[in-house]
Amino acid sequence: MTDTYFNELTTQFSYAFLDSETPVPDELYITVKPEACVGICRYLYEKCGASLVSMVGSDERPLNGGFRLYYFFSLPGHGSSVPQGSRSFVNLQMKVDERHPEFTSITPYMPAAHWYEREIQDLLGLKPVGHPDPRRLVLHENWPKGFYPLRKDFDYKTQPPRTSEDFEMKRVEGEGVFEIPVGPVHAGIIEPGHFRFSSVGEKILNLEARLFYKHKGTEKLAEILPFTKGLFLAERICGVCSFSHATSYCQALEKIANIQIPERAHYLRTIFLELERLYNHVGDVGNICAGTGLLVGNAQGMLLKEKLMELNEAITGNRYLRGMNTVGGLRRDLSEEKRILILSTLRQIQKEFKALIDVIMFLSTQRDRLETTGILSQQVARDLGVVGVAARASGLDSDLRRDHPYAAYDKVSFKVPLRTEGDVSARVWIRIEEVFESIRIIEQLLDTLPSGDIRVEVKEIPPYKYALGYTESPRGANIHWIMTAPDSRLYRYKIRSASYVNWPAVPLVVPGNIVPDFPLINKSFNLCYSCTDL
Amino acid sequence: MDQEMIEFQKPEENQEVLRTHLEELGNHLSEKIGKIFGRSLHIREVDSGSCNACEWEITALSNPVYDLERFGIYFVASPRHADVLLVTGPVSRNLYTALLKTYEATPEPKLVIAVGACACSGGLFQKGYASLGGVDKVLPVDVYIPGCPPRPQAILQGLLLAMDKLEQKIRKRNFSDLHEGDTCHRP
Ligand code: SF4
């Protein structure tokens, strides 16, 4: 697959290519001359229909005397309309000279790059020249100038003195315009973020979101932990996508160590990934009712979610499916008794969830709140590289489980629901349909579960190798990129979560809606702050 | 790393035990709250950089299975209405100011409960460039609830301990009121 792209790109840009390799199947890495990088990115995005799935900055001065930027693209298969598993990754890399710590911004052509570039500026001190909004992002104003945490000469434990607590936000001015500040500590039991609405009466004119309050230095911390402990960190990137992040981590390292995990482990991982989707989606649908004041629906949704969490605990020992994954497979097997427990519980859940949907989704009062609220257009979704439920509700047909199959997804048949309305209602309906698909997937896997081992021992991982690990979490694609260091440690661990790419869409969707609809819109995206802020 | 296969109790039995435990805990707690406050207990939750799982377990306390409100425990929207702060997360650098302000807005006598390994000690994150390494690095903590995340019953148990502490605090305060006026300071 990657060959075809390579040939096509070579004819266009041979003058700019320095090197290329395919360290793992379906991941092509091309080293390009910095001055040609923007052109090649644009070609991939505009001509080949590629989407930017991640961008990484890495301090490789100790290795080759410079910083390095990586651009990751997912490309569709040639001459066909996205059949199963036909996409591959094409990754560009270029060196940034230490004496000129800057690079040309690609944001003006590909808005999806906007946060990656600001983050690289904050954490590595490389300036994106031409970026339309080069404000701080990850490190708030309390962070002094001149400290770059992801540089190798910065120690994880350094705590530079606090500077200013002020920050600037865009303002809307005019007669009758009010500003409503919300957060970072909210009224409900939810994560912190600061929102500022400018409104006239009920109508919202503009929303500014300030995030990254929860930034804890996860990526830097991973560099000082052994890879076995790094897994625990991966499980704690996000509470409710724990299994998905852990699987992405394991898959990347398994590719690097070039090991094949047992078939049974693939199946079990897929089952747990779908159980994670289930409890999230069921909870999210119930939670929407909290936004519309339909308390019966909310209580019932929470009850079903609790039952699924109890199922998680019964089969894995943890309500959040933690402690199951390991590099090389799984740590615990699934007994026959538990296999049957999953099947019977899911049958029950399916029935009760169906009954819940019949009640809550057809009420006129409910439909009135959900329909045409918070519309995300397909164009904006594509420009920002939106993923997951939000993408599929706005007509972007993308799902890693089908497009880049991993674990045992190539062994099952399932439908990827798609809607085009892009409103709150569409996002809720996508989740509802996915709940039934997930149950179908789990049933298929449990019916054909192969016997055998569940793990292979991985004692060490080779240094200076890299690979992507990815999963389609309940919120969308979680893409991890790992480069290893000597002594089975990580040199660089880049975590790109689904929430990270979807957040910028929220402030764009809100204007034009009324203030009380904001919680509803927010809930329909249901993004996580922890895996955005890291 | 390596772990033996752990055999759990049969799931249904296990849940049964947990539910009975929950009832006992809850009733005990509600008695205590009644005695101390003569009204319900008001809690404000503050996320100081958690992974969100601790939040979800606290949220789970309000679902129909746990239904905390029946025991007289109520989550309030503002720290100004709170008796207790439940704090999760290792205290990220960017939330330091918000956490302090929330604490200051809470009326005396107040309790701070650290929920989860991160809040108790910094957990996996320790002390780092963006993690201050636990709530007690910033605020006086009264009760520590370990776990990653602690399950809902553990949080209830923690609240029970907190009530004992609060009783002590109030007694001490009344005593000093009698003798030397209000000596309750902000730390
Ligand atoms: S203690 Fe565990 S569950 Fe709680 S915030 Fe920390 S990592 Fe998450």
Side-chain angles (χ1 to χ4, degrees):
Chain A
M1 185 76 57
T2 51
D3 290 353
T4 355
Y5 285 117
F6 186 64
N7 294 340
E8 189 178 328
L9 282 168
T10 322
T11 43
Q12 295 278 339
F13 295 101
S14 62
Y15 68 93
F17 284 9
L18 297 171
D19 193 12
S20 79
E21 55 169 340
T22 312
V24 290
D26 264 355
E27 281 180 43
L28 168 67
Y29 289 80
I30 307 172
T31 312
V32 299
K33 289 187 182 155
E35 58 274 20
C37 195
V38 174
I40 304 176
C41 286
R42 285 185 68 179
Y43 182 82
L44 286 171
Y45 180 62
E46 289 160 12
K47 297 274 180 336
C48 305
S51 51
L52 182 73
V53 295
S54 186
M55 189 177 160
V56 184
S58 172
D59 178 4
E60 297 181 11
R61 289 174 298 166
L63 304 182
N64 52 36
F67 296 97
R68 198 162 274 266
L69 294 182
Y70 297 81
Y71 301 78
F72 295 87
F73 290 93
S74 163
L75 273 99
H78 264 256
S80 50
S81 56
V82 218
Q84 177 145 355
S86 65
R87 297 181 78 97
S88 49
F89 292 104
V90 173
N91 313 323
L92 306 179
Q93 43 176 310
M94 69 172 203
K95 194 167 163 178
V96 178
D97 197 330
E98 184 178 4
R99 284 159 304 171
H100 308 285
E102 53 182 46
F103 59 100
T104 314
S105 165
I106 56 168
T107 303
Y109 314 102
M110 300 166 56
H114 67 147
W115 270 15
Y116 299 118
E117 294 188 337
R118 284 169 70 184
E119 184 185 313
I120 288 169
Q121 171 169 265
D122 280 8
L123 300 178
L124 277 161
L126 308 179
K127 189 167 174 245
V129 178
H131 194 294
D133 179 17
R135 283 180 299 170
R136 286 213 178 176
L137 183 74
V138 182
L139 301 174
H140 285 179
E141 284 67 13
N142 65 50
W143 187 266
K145 286 201 178 82
F147 291 86
Y148 304 109
L150 278 185
R151 289 196 177 180
K152 292 291 170 191
D153 45 19
F154 182 95
D155 182 66
Y156 175 71
K157 296 212 178 322
T158 316
Q159 294 189 332
R162 294 182 82 86
T163 53
S164 155
E165 302 288 339
D166 303 333
F167 56 92
E168 47 163 325
M169 287 199 125
K170 287 198 191 106
R171 307 188 66 142
V172 179
E173 282 170 1
E175 206 185 312
V177 180
F178 284 90
E179 257 195 5
I180 312 174
V182 179
V185 180
H186 296 284
I189 305 174
I190 51 167
E191 298 181 272
H194 180 72
F195 299 95
R196 201 161 300 175
F197 301 89
S198 301
S199 68
V200 170
E202 288 261 276
K203 201 176 179 128
I204 303 170
L205 297 179
N206 185 44
L207 168 63
E208 285 276 295
R210 178 171 141 99
L211 303 176
F212 296 91
Y213 280 94
K214 301 183 95 172
H215 179 67
K216 306 188 273 290
T218 308
E219 290 178 1
K220 181 76 179 180
L221 176 58
E223 293 173 10
I224 60 170
L225 296 177
F227 81 97
T228 42
K229 275 202 177 162
L231 174 63
F232 300 141
L233 191 62
E235 285 185 329
R236 281 150 188 84
I237 291 167
C238 168
V240 281
C241 291
S242 209
F243 198 84
S244 158
H245 280 294
T247 306
S248 298
Y249 179 87
C250 293
Q251 283 174 348
L253 285 179
E254 284 155 8
K255 277 197 208 165
I256 290 171
N258 194 17
I259 56 155
Q260 305 298 330
I261 70 166
E263 199 60 10
R264 186 175 172 86
H266 277 312
Y267 272 64
L268 290 177
R269 264 187 193 167
T270 316
I271 292 169
F272 295 133
L273 285 166
E274 290 306 316
L275 282 173
E276 185 166 79
R277 187 178 328 280
L278 267 182
Y279 84 77
N280 271 286
H281 278 5
V282 168
D284 289 353
V285 172
N287 219 6
I288 278 290
C289 301
T292 55
L294 188 65
L295 295 182
V296 181
N298 182 32
Q300 187 65 15
M302 276 160 69
L303 185 62
L304 290 180
K305 180 183 176 187
E306 181 65 27
K307 282 189 183 166
L308 285 163
M309 314 263 327
E310 285 177 356
L311 173 68
N312 289 349
E313 187 175 32
I315 56 176
T316 69
N318 186 289
R319 287 159 61 86
Y320 294 86
L321 302 165
R322 283 176 176 167
M324 285 301 277
N325 248 325
T326 184
V327 180
L330 287 172
R331 289 166 65 187
R332 276 185 225 132
D333 208 345
L334 188 78
S335 65
E336 177 58 19
E337 196 185 333
K338 288 174 190 162
R339 194 183 76 91
I340 292 170
L341 177 72
I342 301 179
L343 284 171
S344 60
T345 313
L346 291 192
R347 224 158 281 150
Q348 187 65 24
I349 295 277
Q350 187 174 20
K351 222 169 71 201
E352 292 180 28
F353 188 67
K354 170 86 176 36
L356 173 67
I357 298 312
D358 287 343
V359 172
I360 61 172
M361 291 308 286
F362 300 98
L363 286 175
S364 57
T365 45
Q366 179 88 343
R367 288 182 54 188
D368 182 47
R369 291 293 305 278
L370 305 190
E371 287 170 13
T372 69
T373 305
I375 296 176
L376 171 66
S377 74
Q378 185 171 351
Q379 186 60 42
V380 172
R382 166 152 162 80
D383 286 349
L384 291 177
V386 168
V387 295
V389 169
R392 294 191 283 276
S394 292
L396 284 187
D397 191 8
S398 74
D399 190 327
L400 282 179
R401 297 177 294 170
R402 178 201 57 203
D403 304 340
H404 296 274
Y406 52 91
Y409 283 110
D410 52 350
K411 307 284 190 316
V412 285
S413 74
F414 59 97
K415 216 175 77 209
V416 177
L418 191 68
R419 294 199 169 228
T420 49
E421 301 88 341
D423 55 3
V424 172
S425 172
R427 288 186 283 277
V428 177
W429 273 111
I430 293 277
R431 286 195 180 89
I432 294 171
E433 289 173 39
E434 287 187 4
V435 164
F436 295 109
E437 286 302 313
S438 281
I439 295 178
R440 245 167 39 88
I441 293 175
I442 298 174
E443 283 173 351
Q444 288 177 53
L445 291 166
L446 284 175
D447 284 345
T448 54
L449 191 61
S451 56
D453 283 345
I454 53 163
R455 76 187 277 195
V456 286
E457 198 77 39
V458 181
K459 288 224 161 57
E460 49 180 25
I461 42 171
Y464 306 120
K465 297 254 187 287
Y466 35 81
L468 290 167
Y470 41 83
T471 47
E472 183 81 21
S473 79
R475 285 161 184 75
N478 281 333
I479 306 217
H480 294 201
W481 181 77
I482 296 179
M483 177 172 172
T484 53
D487 303 324
S488 292
R489 284 174 189 268
L490 309 189
Y491 190 87
R492 176 84 173 88
Y493 181 21
K494 167 70 188 174
I495 304 151
R496 200 239 54 196
S497 69
S499 299
Y500 183 91
V501 278
N502 283 4
W503 258 119
V506 176
L508 297 182
V509 162
V510 167
N513 291 273
I514 55 173
V515 178
D517 276 343
F518 173 69
L520 200 54
I521 297 170
N522 210 4
K523 283 185 170 72
S524 75
F525 280 90
N526 194 26
L527 302 176
C528 174
Y529 300 64
S530 177
C531 55
T532 303
D533 303 355
L534 291 176
Chain B
M1 253 314 265
D2 223 327
Q3 208 166 329
E4 293 282 296
M5 269 272 290
I6 300 172
E7 260 318 311
F8 299 99
Q9 264 175 303
K10 281 219 181 77
E12 315 83 61
E13 286 171 22
N14 198 15
Q15 295 308 340
E16 212 36 56
V17 172
L18 289 175
R19 298 254 160 90
T20 331
H21 191 53
L22 168 73
E23 293 300 314
E24 280 170 19
L25 257 179
N27 290 333
H28 195 159
L29 190 54
S30 122
E31 235 169 72
K32 273 237 152 87
I33 293 172
K35 208 169 101 204
I36 300 175
F37 291 101
R39 59 159 170 88
S40 56
L41 173 70
H42 291 184
I43 301 179
R44 175 65 236 160
E45 193 271 344
V46 192
D47 175 346
S48 77
S50 78
C51 77
N52 205 6
C54 278
E55 263 63 50
W56 280 114
E57 290 303 62
I58 295 173
T59 312
L61 286 170
S62 302
N63 73 28
V65 171
Y66 295 97
D67 190 16
L68 213 58
E69 284 194 24
R70 74 194 146 125
F71 300 126
I73 299 165
Y74 186 61
F75 287 99
V76 291
S78 164
R80 296 193 195 283
H81 306 153
D83 308 305
V84 169
L85 294 180
L86 280 187
V87 189
T88 64
V91 189
S92 68
R93 182 184 171 104
N94 289 346
L95 278 167
Y96 167 78
T97 314
L99 177 62
L100 271 190
K101 283 189 180 168
T102 310
Y103 180 78
E104 278 169 11
T106 314
E108 297 272 4
K110 54 192 160 190
L111 284 181
V112 177
I113 305 181
V115 180
C118 289
C120 289
S121 66
L124 200 53
F125 296 96
Q126 300 300 327
K127 190 176 154 223
Y129 76 88
S131 149
L132 305 187
V135 178
D136 61 7
K137 302 285 182 303
V138 181
L139 302 177
V141 173
D142 297 283
V143 175
Y144 297 82
I145 305 178
C148 185
R151 40 172 315 121
Q153 280 89 344
I155 302 175
L156 271 185
Q157 178 80 41
L159 285 174
L160 197 59
L161 282 177
M163 288 309 98
D164 289 339
K165 270 237 153 167
L166 194 61
E167 223 175 356
Q168 287 170 15
K169 265 200 183 183
I170 294 172
R171 212 176 288 145
K172 232 199 231 150
R173 191 166 119 133
N174 290 346
F175 184 73
S176 50
D177 272 351
L178 281 179
H179 292 87
E180 51 202 273
D182 192 4
T183 53
C184 240
H185 301 291
R186 286 191 177 173

